[in-house]
Amino acid sequence: NAPQQVTYANDTAHKSQPIVITLSPTPDLRVDSVFTSNSTFSGNTVNVTYKVKNYGVVTPPNVGWVDKFYLSPTANFNPSTAILLSPPANNGKYYTCYQQPYSLAHTSQVNADSSYTNTVPLVMPNFIFGTYFIHVVTNQTNTLYEGALNNNNTNSKQVQIFLTPTPTLDVSSITLPYTNVSTTQSLGVNWNILNNGFYDNIERNQG
């Protein structure tokens, strides 16, 4: 049987000099540039070209991250007021019920001081107008560990969005075949619809 221990005060020991622990260098992904049209119409698709550069050490193998794209009324990125953008749906329809959540995944390593460039088509929301900012956010879900360097992953491009003109349908005329009818008499009614607005057969303006 083991002897009974009376005191535990001397059960630990430590090195007389402290050990200095420093964080290992990490990758540092930054969106260097964002290019797109200076202006567009609501509901249009615009091509956005962006470059992400690694200002830190090489990204580790078998670790991926995603780039996401947002539209915001402010130059400073605020997820609570930004709209997540999507590319055109495969079936060509615009409305959000047809859109899929979108992000661009990366799994290849990016060396130190190296970069990658992508171009993505993004659909602007319908029925909006004014000055907006397209934000590109790399490593948006923080799956790639960047330590304290994960607060510089966003860049943006200002874009002026004009409201897409819409059709204006009016009943231009109604023709009745009779001037006097009985309560049980059937009659045909002819009418003409005139579009006094704009004609656009692009899906974004259809239901």
Side-chain angles (χ1 to χ4, degrees):
N1 296 329
Q4 183 178 6
Q5 187 169 350
V6 177
T7 177
Y8 298 89
N10 59 353
D11 283 5
T12 61
H14 62 83
K15 190 177 182 297
S16 59
Q17 297 298 322
I19 299 175
V20 178
I21 299 176
T22 58
L23 290 174
S24 298
T26 64
D28 181 17
L29 299 184
R30 305 181 196 178
V31 181
D32 257 9
S33 58
V34 181
F35 298 99
T36 190
S37 304
N38 291 326
S39 62
T40 187
F41 284 91
S42 57
N44 273 5
T45 298
V46 299
N47 289 322
V48 176
T49 300
Y50 67 98
K51 183 177 78 171
V52 174
K53 185 175 179 179
N54 182 9
Y55 286 84
V57 300
V58 61
T59 60
N62 304 317
V63 175
W65 64 93
V66 296
D67 299 336
K68 290 192 175 184
F69 314 93
Y70 296 84
L71 187 71
S72 170
T74 60
N76 293 326
F77 179 64
N78 183 351
S80 63
T81 59
I83 302 170
L84 181 62
L85 296 176
S86 297
N90 292 332
N91 56 10
K93 294 181 179 295
Y94 160 76
Y95 288 101
T96 53
C97 59
Y98 298 108
Q99 300 296 316
Q100 299 296 322
Y102 181 66
S103 60
L104 198 57
H106 298 274
T107 55
S108 300
Q109 287 183 271
V110 179
N111 291 321
D113 204 34
S114 295
S115 62
Y116 62 86
T117 301
N118 285 320
T119 298
V120 292
L122 299 173
V123 179
M124 298 296 101
N126 216 350
F127 312 122
I128 65 170
F129 60 92
T131 301
Y132 286 84
F133 297 84
I134 296 177
H135 292 269
V136 180
V137 185
T138 190
N139 193 24
Q140 196 270 345
T141 55
N142 289 321
T143 53
L144 173 68
Y145 179 72
E146 296 183 85
L149 305 176
N150 66 346
N151 59 353
N152 56 3
N153 296 356
T154 304
N155 204 343
S156 64
K157 170 68 167 63
Q158 180 177 310
V159 59
Q160 187 72 25
I161 299 180
F162 300 100
L163 184 65
T164 298
T166 59
T168 302
L169 302 182
D170 296 320
V171 179
S172 61
S173 64
I174 298 178
T175 304
L176 298 176
Y178 308 105
T179 56
N180 296 297
V181 295
S182 65
T183 56
T184 58
Q185 181 180 350
S186 298
L187 72 159
V189 179
N190 297 317
W191 68 92
N192 291 315
I193 303 295
L194 179 65
N195 179 12
N196 288 316
F198 290 84
Y199 172 77
D200 190 351
N201 61 357
I202 298 178
E203 180 62 31
R204 67 173 182 270
N205 287 324
Q206 299 177 14

